[in-house]
Amino acid sequence: MKRLSPWAILLALLVPFAIASADALTGSVTKQPLNMTAVIMFVIFVAMTLGITYWASLRTRTASDFYTAGGGITGFQNGLAIAGDYMSAASFLGISGLVFLSGYDGLIYSIGWLVGWPVIMFLIAEQIRNLGKFTFADVASYRFSQVPIRSMAAVSSLVVVAFYLIAQMVGAGKLIQLLFGLEYWMAVVIVGALMMIYVIFGGMTATTWVQIIKAGLLLCGATFMAFMALAHFGFSPEEMFRQATTHNVKGLAIMGPGTLIKDPINAISLGLALMFGTAGLPHILMRFFTVPNAKEARKSVFFATGFIGYFYILTFIIGFAAITLLAQHPEFFKEGALVDGMVKDPKGLIGGTNMVAIKLAQAVGGDMFLGFISAVAFATILAVVSGLTLAGASAISHDLYASAIARGRVNETTELRVGKIATFVLGLVAIGLGIAFEKQNVAFMVGLAFAIAASANFPVLVASIFWRGMTTWGAFIGGFAGLITAVTLTIMTKAVWGDTLGHLGADGKSVGLITLDNPAIISIPVAFIGIWLFSMLDRSERANSERAAFAAQRVRCETGIGAEGAAGH
Amino acid sequence: MTTDSLDAITSHPLYAELVSKRKRFGWILTFLMMVIYYGFVLVIAYKKEWLAIPLYHGSITTVGIPVGLAVIISAFLLTGIYVYRANGEFDDLTQRIRENLQ
């Protein structure tokens, strides 16, 4: 019963959508000020998830329940939940929008997001599961002085979470604005409030199930959309590409690499950020503690990689098909953006290019399917912000409060309460940031979060697992050096310095202080060099005992012996 | 973990076998993934026109499409290969080490 009920509800939710899709392509598309289907489907989703939250709240008594669902999630469930965390609204709406805008570049971008997974699997997944308890800082600080390492890890986690949250909140605001005609700020407040309820009352159990249901809905919805879109082209990708090149102003150029990657340095920098950033995202790393052992942790990465890869293929099809299919709907475009069936200015799509998948849902499936996809996209944002907020709250309550401030002298009830208060505060911050960053491109903001995760969390994590010589000082200074470098360089990029802060060049266009778009190629080496240099210089007594503790850490890493107690059953 | 039990594990021949096999396997697969992905990125950076070549005479579909899909599928296959061996052979080895220690 415990595991059946959410699936039963999921099936129940899919039934009306399957029936409605029968005459999907024949119905005419009319713009409605209020899409009742979307509202009803979203209300159903919210009611269902609140039910799950209530059920989860009955099981969330200990800190272990709150942070990791008591370690009782299976590999398959966790794989789906990880995929859910990863298939954010930013990737669903952002990548399909990027494909619509520049074609092949969207595929390049999505591939970068996927290739971090095998590396996580081969190098750190089981080590993390064997060494950690609730947060990745448990792993990074395993044999080191707790206060400095946990403070560093918590600060960098919070910065990553903040950037990621901005992207999600902006997506939520725009989506609901478009769909419900609500004010942007009201939409952001609704997302923030619901997310706070899920996390505060249901902890990781509710967050995981919200994530699993949403991943299931999103995969079904995207599959259906890609299927209906391909059906338009007689299931011939060649035909889909052929028509796309005649409807996009860039023509054949959309079939190959374009302007996303300007030069080798930017290409490799983005690649490094995406590949190693995945291995440093706190909300993703936290998922490895929700499974009972390393075997299940590995299975979760395998399933997650499969789901995510499949999902990116779907977003590629959706984005490409949208070029042709949206061009048949002049009402989707602003004046002058669509001329004689040719998309002259893809950015002239009403609501912006992030709305490509939503518009395509309406074009291929009518209002019923538009309602479904809109509700799913909204659910996606809710689920991802819940996971992010839980990771941020854990960094505050488990790493900053319980370990660094109270120095371990804290009972579980207090830590749990601090975690819930932190969730509440983070929710308010997320709402504030969501409103402040309304005008930013959401996919790009997530790229920045990855750069920071790759530059601060990942180097410390890897060195703590593999390098005997690392010391507390090395990790502390190296980690902060990576974080500060990444943030500083990010502020100097065109996207922030020019587009956000409004610095203009002589030609009136926004400018950056550096030509790099992504800081990873500099900030990752800075972190590793910092770790190496300050560890080597560290001749203290403590440093020697930390190096000596490596042997025991290594055995636990490799065999999992001693790790069973960590789940806290 | 006591120093005695730690020594018992580290001096166990199966432990040495497990560690060296898994390390080797993990790094080989990591290297493969890096070669595939950064190879792809470097082609985009230096020879992007290669990916824009039509797949066959007169096709709109370019070489880049199957190449991109192959990178995605390779990521999935490599993780599958790792899980197959780790959840089988490596976990069996770990289990035998545990049993021998008891």
Side-chain angles (χ1 to χ4, degrees):
Chain A
M1 192 59 214
K2 179 183 161 194
R3 276 173 194 150
L4 250 180
S5 58
W7 288 110
I9 304 169
L10 172 83
L11 278 176
L13 212 138
L14 282 172
V15 169
F17 133 66
I19 294 166
S21 64
D23 65 338
L25 277 173
T26 55
S28 67
V29 178
T30 47
K31 260 191 104 183
Q32 288 177 313
L34 185 71
N35 187 330
M36 278 316 290
T37 323
V39 176
I40 292 167
M41 283 187 181
F42 180 67
V43 169
I44 293 172
F45 176 83
V46 169
M48 191 167 84
T49 49
L50 288 178
I52 288 169
T53 306
Y54 175 73
W55 165 79
S57 70
L58 303 176
R59 279 148 217 272
T60 306
R61 293 189 196 89
T62 64
S64 166
D65 295 333
F66 182 70
Y67 294 129
T68 65
I73 306 288
T74 69
F76 179 78
Q77 291 166 345
N78 196 40
L80 207 49
I82 289 175
D85 265 321
Y86 218 61
M87 297 182 299
S88 59
S91 57
F92 179 52
L93 305 179
I95 292 179
S96 53
L98 190 58
V99 174
F100 176 77
L101 190 67
S102 357
Y104 194 76
D105 276 356
L107 183 64
I108 300 172
Y109 197 60
S110 65
I111 286 173
W113 290 28
L114 185 69
V115 291
W117 285 104
V119 176
I120 289 184
M121 168 79 105
F122 307 148
L123 298 181
I124 59 173
E126 56 200 274
Q127 280 85 347
I128 286 173
R129 180 63 198 88
N130 284 341
L131 286 182
K133 194 175 170 192
F134 297 149
T135 65
F136 90 91
D138 290 337
V139 182
S141 68
Y142 188 78
R143 65 192 155 104
F144 303 104
S145 180
Q146 297 292 304
V147 177
I149 303 297
R150 284 189 188 270
S151 310
M152 192 275 299
V155 168
S156 71
S157 294
L158 287 170
V159 175
V160 171
V161 165
F163 266 111
Y164 219 126
L165 266 178
I166 291 169
Q168 302 304 319
M169 295 306 259
V170 171
K174 292 193 171 161
L175 183 67
I176 301 162
Q177 188 182 28
L178 186 95
L179 185 68
F180 295 78
L182 273 181
E183 291 292 322
Y184 177 87
W185 68 268
M186 281 172 74
V188 170
V189 169
I190 293 174
V191 172
L194 280 171
M195 167 265 278
M196 286 190 247
I197 294 170
Y198 294 152
V199 179
I200 290 172
F201 296 104
M204 183 54 106
T205 309
T207 305
T208 303
W209 277 106
V210 168
Q211 204 62 272
I212 290 173
I213 292 170
K214 159 254 157 140
L217 290 174
L218 183 57
L219 286 168
C220 292
T223 302
F224 176 77
M225 198 183 339
F227 179 86
M228 294 306 276
L230 276 174
H232 237 92
F233 304 100
F235 296 100
S236 157
E238 168 71 11
E239 187 56 29
M240 177 179 81
F241 294 135
R242 183 182 303 280
Q243 292 196 26
T245 55
T246 64
H247 288 99
N248 187 301
V249 72
K250 292 178 187 164
L252 281 171
I254 59 173
M255 294 308 300
T259 51
L260 174 77
I261 289 173
K262 289 180 287 198
D263 56 87
I265 302 293
N266 266 313
I268 292 171
S269 197
L270 178 67
L272 287 171
L274 294 180
M275 184 178 245
F276 298 119
T278 306
L281 290 175
H283 66 298
I284 298 282
L285 294 172
M286 199 173 175
R287 290 231 137 266
F288 291 112
F289 307 121
T290 65
V291 291
N293 51 45
K295 203 189 254 311
E296 294 299 313
R298 289 184 208 114
K299 277 191 209 163
S300 30
V301 181
F302 173 65
F303 288 121
T305 312
F307 287 129
I308 296 166
Y310 172 66
F311 175 72
Y312 286 155
I313 293 172
L314 294 179
T315 56
F316 184 66
I317 297 171
I318 289 168
F320 247 107
I323 297 173
T324 303
L325 298 179
L326 296 191
Q328 296 160 11
H329 294 267
E331 74 275 15
F332 288 162
F333 292 88
K334 290 178 188 153
E335 192 72 29
L338 184 75
V339 181
D340 301 331
M342 165 77 84
V343 183
K344 294 280 184 201
D345 175 18
K347 288 180 178 170
L349 188 70
I350 293 167
T353 52
N354 285 325
M355 289 302 145
V356 165
I358 305 291
K359 301 278 190 193
L360 185 68
Q362 189 172 10
V364 302
D367 282 348
M368 185 80 179
F369 190 61
L370 168 71
F372 176 79
I373 282 295
S374 302
V376 168
F378 194 6
T380 293
I381 295 165
L382 268 178
V384 174
V385 294
S386 302
L388 282 166
T389 305
L390 182 55
S394 317
I396 293 172
S397 60
H398 184 61
D399 298 325
L400 278 184
Y401 177 75
S403 303
I405 296 172
R407 314 258 160 152
R409 289 186 299 272
V410 59
N411 66 39
E412 221 174 63
T413 320
T414 315
E415 185 176 331
L416 196 58
R417 195 165 64 232
V418 172
K420 293 182 175 186
I421 295 170
T423 306
F424 183 74
V425 173
L426 279 173
L428 294 181
V429 171
I431 292 169
L433 289 174
I435 292 170
F437 279 82
E438 186 181 344
K439 305 291 179 196
Q440 289 297 297
N441 179 315
V442 295
F444 194 67
M445 293 298 286
V446 172
L448 298 184
F450 273 67
I452 296 165
S455 314
N457 299 351
F458 175 74
V460 171
L461 200 55
V462 162
S464 74
I465 292 172
F466 292 102
W467 189 38
R468 179 190 308 271
M470 186 164 89
T471 71
T472 298
W473 265 120
F476 184 77
I477 297 177
F480 265 120
L483 172 66
I484 292 167
T485 311
V487 173
T488 310
L489 291 178
T490 297
I491 292 171
M492 293 161 76
T493 58
K494 182 176 164 291
V496 179
W497 187 255
D499 300 348
T500 309
L501 299 175
H503 289 91
L504 303 178
D507 57 354
K509 287 184 180 169
S510 66
V511 288
L513 296 172
I514 49 172
T515 53
L516 267 185
D517 288 333
N518 196 298
I521 199 166
I522 297 175
S523 52
I524 294 176
V526 163
F528 275 112
I529 291 168
I531 290 169
W532 174 79
L533 184 67
F534 288 94
S535 297
M536 296 299 281
L537 291 174
D538 193 351
R539 306 256 172 230
S540 64
E541 197 58 34
R542 187 178 72 184
N544 291 332
S545 65
E546 284 164 2
R547 291 184 190 110
F550 184 75
Q553 178 193 303
R554 180 96 188 272
V555 167
R556 179 159 157 178
C557 245
E558 295 286 352
T559 62
I561 292 170
E564 289 84 353
H569 290 289
Chain B
M1 206 181 298
T2 64
T3 319
D4 282 353
S5 64
L6 189 63
D7 287 343
I9 298 173
T10 49
S11 60
H12 200 290
L14 287 180
Y15 177 75
E17 186 187 336
L18 171 72
V19 171
S20 73
K21 271 189 177 169
R22 184 160 54 198
K23 193 174 175 183
R24 204 177 125 82
F25 191 53
W27 283 106
I28 288 174
L29 292 181
T30 305
F31 180 73
L32 265 177
M33 191 70 242
M34 302 280 262
V35 167
I36 292 171
Y37 178 58
Y38 287 102
F40 180 63
V41 168
L42 287 175
V43 168
I44 294 162
Y46 286 105
K47 289 282 174 196
K48 66 165 88 169
E49 62 276 12
W50 286 2
L51 294 174
I53 297 170
L55 194 58
Y56 51 90
H57 183 71
S59 78
I60 297 291
T61 309
T62 51
V63 173
I65 305 290
V67 168
L69 293 181
V71 177
I72 291 179
I73 292 164
S74 73
F76 178 62
L77 288 182
L78 289 177
T79 56
I81 292 168
Y82 185 83
V83 179
Y84 180 76
R85 193 163 171 207
N87 280 8
E89 188 186 340
F90 297 157
D91 277 357
D92 290 346
L93 267 175
T94 310
Q95 193 54 36
R96 276 163 62 200
I97 295 169
R98 284 170 183 240
E99 281 162 6
N100 284 353
L101 289 173
Q102 277 158 8

